[in-house]
Every structure is written in structure tokens, then in C-alpha cells.
Amino acid sequence: MSISPLIYDVIVIGSGVAGLSVALNLAGHRVLLVTKTPLGAGNSQWAQGGVAAAMGEGDSPELHARDTLAVSGDIANADAVSVLTQVGPDCMRRLMVLGVAFDRDRGNLCLGREAAHSHPRILHAQGDATGAELIRALTLSVQQTAGIEIAEAWEVEELVADAGRVSGVIARQGAECCLYHAPAVVLATGGIGQLYRYTTNPPEATADGLALAARAGACLADIEFVQFHPTALAAGSEPLPLLTEALRGAGAILVNEMGDRFMLAEHEAAELAPRDAVARAVWRQLQAGHTTFLDAREAVGARFPDDFPTVFTFCQRHGLDPRLDRLPIAPAAHYHMGGVAVDLSGRTSVPGLWACGEVACTGVHGANRLASNSLLEGLVFAERVGQDLRGFIRFRSASVSSGLQLTDIGERALPAREDDFVISQIRDIMWAHAGLVRTELGLVEAIGQLHELEMTGAVRSQRGKNMLSVAQLIAIAALAREESRGAHFRADYPEAAEVWAHGSVWTLNALEAEKASMLREVLAI
Ligand code: SIN
């Protein structure tokens, strides 16, 4: 095992749109980008629908803000939403300068429509390959920018702290460990989809950033709010391929095996109702024994291969032709509205630690995210983190004369072998009890089962420990919120409650105390 301390101005963890954008915004500084996957992997790369920004005729940032707030269950942070929607259009223009090729028709941007947007405002690339195009352009720019070093396929195991300040990370690649120091660390590690049996997220979405931040003492916010996408292709593969919401924006409908267009009876906006409403409607159909389908034959038909090439390829791989076939669908865990609590500059509650992208909670989504606001949030707030860090680095170099205190990390154990079987159990428990429809009974059951897994010591890998810890935190926060709001639906408290008309903030200690008291009371341990 080799351990060598290396010193940077900033360490960025994660290589999705948020991580790459922060790094690019720090050009000229010594930046280390640590990514556990090869560059180009990750959730952002898979994003289909696009990026929402008010750039169309008759649209405005205010209207975009109004739509964002309207679906948030009344608890989004209006200041954060204002930043998101006001800065969005300029952020898109900067991306175009960088080389991002959004789809155009005779020179004009093609703007798609998605659920709960009052205007067509979704910028997309190559039809439904928006994430891939963003990652292509951002990765290329990062690779061409002097000062950014990339540690590819290195997994961060711990944040290193010095007198209460984060001052670096310990990263691992197989048996090799490395200690990297920096006065500023940015978490841009993405989401948590893999905590659930059914997800649209890639295998690397394992809640690492939340676990690292929680262990470092950072406040977490709104972690009970997990978004389920209503239209994952139910074709037996894992993760479930996404059938972009842009398909419904283009007129595709949802039907059951009898051809009943069930969304008409569910919501006045039918298939374009907010995502949580559509996901629960699909769920109810499935629970009632129906089979559910997305039918794009009439609305998209022969244009499918050109307009939605990514989805078309998935379908073909599963023996389906969306021009002729209805596509079987099911809801799947898709996005985490909650995360590490941050201010509008991406600062967490722990000095030296910033966060942006899905791992962070700026409050822009509240209890439910508007479609195509996630890439936008990652991009807009990464720029703000970059801005803040530039000021921080200037201030620090003017005021700090001595270098960083180097930490001795001593001998570190070899990585534990992977524990896929236990991870699979975690995912089943979360799907069964902490998914689209929750109850006190189910959540208590989940917390008890997850606690038992913890007690057996069966979870040994870093990945497994992170997943187990965050799964428990989400279940505890979901149990505490005795109401239904946005994506958090409690069958035993089906209405929103005035006393809960706010976000939630937790620390690891508070969540553990809550769990201990629950276990004492309910399970009589
Ligand atoms: C989609 O294309 O439906 C996903 C976009 C999003 O999650 O905002």
C-alpha cells in the first residue's frame, strides 16, 4: 500500500455535469477531480429529456420559477429557485460557447415540452441524448484545461478533517490508498437511485457523497424526498431504461392493458401532471393488477428513431418497436430532492466542504422536482460554487502563510470484498417500505430490518456501508414526516399538514438518536 500526501487548491469529487463544471470554473488553480468511474460514466451522461431554461418566445425566468415552485409542494426555497431560473439562460449560452450542440431547427433552438411546464423550454441534444452531449463537451474542456488533474477510477473513502475543517480526502484504487490535501473539497457525487430495487440510475449512484458528508457532521436536508420516474421501461433489465418524459411532452399517452387512458381520471393535466402524481397513478394501476404502457405510436410514430434515438435503441434491445408496440412501464427511483444542505454558494455546514448537483440540497426542488431542472441545477450552482471558491482561494492565499497541516492516515486495511447479496437486501427493503407509498408500519419495518443488517456486520464494503447508512437515514426522515407532500406519500397521512410546510434538516447524530428512540419504543429493544 502506498500513501503519499498531495496538495491542491480544491478537490472535486465526481465527474457528472456538476463536478466537471466546478472544475472548469476553477481554471488556473490546482484542482484535483477524483472520480470513481471512468470519465464519461455516471448519471448525468444518461440524462435524456434535457435542460430547462426560459429561452423561448413568451417565456420568462419568472414563469419558469412559478412552475418550479408550483410542483414543489410549497416548500422550495424561493431564493434558490430565483437564482436557478434567472441564471439558467446565460448558463445555457455559456455551454453553447463551450461547444454543446443543442438541437436546432433552421438555426433556432428546439424547445421541448415536459410535464408541469407552462411553456416549451427544454433544450435537448441529439433528440434524447442531452446528458451525453453535455458530458462530452464538458469532459473535453476539462481535459484541455491546464491545472486540472484527474484521478480516474479512484473512490473517496473518507473526508479528512483538521480542527473541524475538511482538509482533504483519502481515496482508494484497489489496494492502493492516497491522501490528497486541499483547503476546499467539493462533493459532486450524484444521487442515491441504487438504494432501491428498481431505478433508472446507473450502478454508481450509491449515495457516497451523502454518507461522506453525514460522517463529517454536515447537515442534511429534505432527505425523505425521493423522486420516482413514472415511465421506466419494464423489460427486466437493471437498471431500468428511462422512457423520457419528453415522449409524453410530444403527446404519448399512458394506458393499461385494456387500453384505458387512466391519467384522464387522475389529473386535469393527464399525462403532463407533475411527476409524483403520474408515478403514483402508475403504481396504483400496477397494485390493482393492471399492466401499464406508454403508447407513442400515434403521437411520435415513424419519427421515433430520429426524435428519440436513445430510447429507440433501448426498445430494440428489448425486442420492442415503439412505432408499432406499446411500451410496458413501471415507476423507478430516479432522483433525490434532498441532500447535503447548502447555501446559495454551495457551502455546507462544515467548513472546507462545498456540494453541488444531486448530492446537494439547495432547496430548489422542495418535495418534488420539475422535469429537466436537475441538469440545470447542477450547472447553475456549480458555477456559483466555482465563483465562491475563487474568492475563497484568493482570500486564503492572502491570509494563510503556512501550508496545510498534513494528516497521517497510518495503515489502512485492505478493501473488504464486495457484498452484493446484502446490498440487494437493502434495495429490496427500501423498495418495499420506503418507496412511492409509505406507512409508519412499513418504515418501522424497514428501519428494523436495516438495523439488523447493520448489527450482523454483514455489510463490509465501503459501498455497502454507505448505502446501508443512507438508507436508514432516509427511512428515519420519512417516518418522522407524518404527512404527504410531493414525492413523499404516506398512506397513513394522505394529506399535507400545515405543521410540516417546511423542509427538514438533520444531522447524523440527530438521525441516530431518532432511530435509537424509535427502536426502544416500537421494537422494545
Ligand atoms: C426525463 O427525460 O424524463 C428525465 C428528465 C428529468 O429527470 O428531469
Side-chain angles (χ1 to χ4, degrees):
M1 184 184 333
S2 81
I3 298 174
S4 51
L6 298 166
I7 303 178
Y8 298 86
D9 292 324
V10 178
I11 295 169
V12 180
I13 313 172
S15 59
V17 293
L20 294 169
S21 300
V22 173
L24 272 181
N25 271 278
L26 291 168
H29 297 289
R30 288 167 304 167
V31 178
L32 176 70
L33 185 95
V34 190
T35 170
K36 70 176 182 180
T37 59
L39 277 181
N43 228 344
S44 301
Q45 150 88 15
W46 286 23
Q48 293 178 8
V51 196
M55 300 182 79
E57 222 173 283
D59 199 3
S60 68
E62 290 72 26
L63 291 173
H64 185 185
R66 197 186 64 187
D67 294 345
T68 301
L69 291 166
V71 301
S72 77
D74 296 326
I75 59 165
N77 173 340
D79 293 337
V81 171
S82 172
V83 169
L84 179 83
T85 54
Q86 295 285 342
V87 176
D90 276 343
C91 185
M92 295 305 100
R93 286 186 268 272
R94 284 189 282 279
L95 285 175
M96 294 175 214
V97 171
L98 209 67
V100 172
F102 288 117
D103 292 337
R104 289 177 182 272
D105 181 16
R106 282 162 288 200
N108 299 319
L109 280 172
C110 297
L111 297 172
R113 184 86 186 258
E114 285 180 356
H117 284 275
S118 56
H119 283 71
R121 62 167 73 99
I122 315 301
L123 285 78
H124 46 85
Q126 293 149 43
D128 56 2
T130 316
E133 170 61 6
L134 288 172
I135 291 293
R136 181 202 63 75
L138 290 168
T139 303
L140 195 65
S141 301
V142 161
Q143 285 166 331
Q144 292 170 344
T145 302
I148 305 177
E149 207 175 297
I150 299 166
E152 221 170 329
W154 281 83
E155 186 156 8
V156 171
E157 279 193 344
E158 278 316 322
L159 299 176
V160 175
D162 178 21
R165 255 206 95 79
V166 169
S167 60
V169 307
I170 297 169
R172 178 187 288 283
Q173 188 178 63
E176 197 177 354
C177 265
C178 203
L179 172 61
Y180 297 108
H181 271 291
V185 173
V186 183
L187 293 172
T189 48
I192 61 151
Q194 286 288 326
L195 293 183
Y196 288 88
R197 164 57 55 209
Y198 300 107
T199 179
T200 59
N201 291 186
E204 49 271 20
T206 51
D208 313 332
L210 265 181
L212 289 170
R215 286 202 292 275
C219 288
L220 310 179
D222 297 352
I223 56 174
E224 60 273 38
F225 297 117
V226 179
Q227 182 167 73
F228 296 84
H229 199 289
T231 60
L233 182 65
S237 58
E238 204 179 316
L240 270 60
L242 181 69
L243 302 179
T244 176
E245 192 159 308
L247 282 159
R248 277 175 284 136
I253 56 171
L254 301 180
V255 294
N256 62 21
E257 76 288 357
M258 300 181 302
D260 175 19
R261 193 177 159 195
F262 53 88
M263 279 312 298
L264 289 174
E266 290 277 353
H267 198 283
E268 59 185 14
E271 282 83 2
L272 292 183
R275 198 171 275 180
D276 61 323
V278 184
R280 278 195 298 275
V282 173
W283 172 258
R284 277 194 296 274
Q285 289 283 317
L286 294 172
Q287 295 301 301
H290 294 295
T291 315
T292 46
F293 300 90
L294 180 93
D295 188 345
R297 292 174 299 180
E298 199 177 315
V300 185
R303 289 184 286 111
F304 212 113
D306 289 333
D307 290 0
F308 299 97
T310 308
V311 175
F312 189 71
T313 307
F314 284 145
C315 292
Q316 280 193 313
R317 251 185 239 148
H318 290 89
L320 293 160
D321 183 340
R323 294 167 297 189
L324 306 171
D325 299 320
R326 298 180 306 181
L327 307 173
I329 52 157
H334 183 62
Y335 184 83
H336 197 200
M337 272 72 72
V340 185
V342 293
D343 66 12
L344 297 185
S345 297
R347 290 185 180 219
T348 72
S349 59
V350 175
L353 186 64
W354 280 252
C356 56
E358 188 172 348
V359 69
C361 181
T362 59
V364 288
H365 309 304
N368 189 29
R369 176 174 65 82
L370 187 65
S372 288
N373 267 356
S374 53
L375 290 174
L376 182 67
E377 186 200 20
L379 293 159
V380 165
F381 284 90
E383 283 187 358
R384 291 179 68 91
V385 168
Q387 244 164 37
D388 194 46
L389 283 170
R390 290 199 299 275
F392 170 78
I393 295 166
R394 247 194 329 274
F395 170 77
R396 202 177 169 280
S397 25
S399 64
V400 179
S401 51
S402 66
L404 276 164
Q405 200 64 39
L406 296 185
T407 314
D408 180 3
I409 60 171
E411 279 297 300
R412 291 184 70 84
L414 283 169
R417 63 186 159 69
E418 285 297 317
D419 32 25
D420 289 344
F421 179 67
V422 197
I423 287 175
S424 181
Q425 286 177 286
I426 297 172
R427 300 180 65 197
D428 283 336
I429 294 169
M430 290 298 281
W431 183 257
H433 302 301
L436 285 100
V437 176
R438 302 161 170 182
T439 60
E440 175 177 345
L441 208 65
L443 289 164
V444 168
E445 178 71 25
I447 296 163
Q449 289 183 13
L450 293 167
H451 176 71
E452 263 175 43
L453 279 183
E454 190 176 359
M455 291 300 99
T456 60
V459 180
R460 282 190 276 268
S461 71
Q462 192 61 38
R463 180 173 67 122
K465 285 182 188 157
N466 288 346
M467 291 175 77
L468 181 57
S469 145
V470 177
Q472 294 185 76
L473 301 184
I474 290 174
I476 294 161
L479 178 64
R481 185 175 282 274
E482 295 181 333
E483 66 151 0
S484 291
R485 188 177 295 275
H488 170 74
F489 185 81
R490 287 278 303 257
D492 44 356
Y493 297 94
E495 303 299 329
E498 196 49 41
V499 292
W500 276 106
H502 54 78
S504 64
V505 179
W506 293 91
T507 59
L508 183 59
N509 285 346
L511 283 154
E512 276 176 353
E514 183 83 6
K515 171 178 146 187
S517 117
M518 188 223 88
L519 290 173
R520 266 196 309 275
E521 264 178 47
V522 183
L523 304 175
I525 288 177

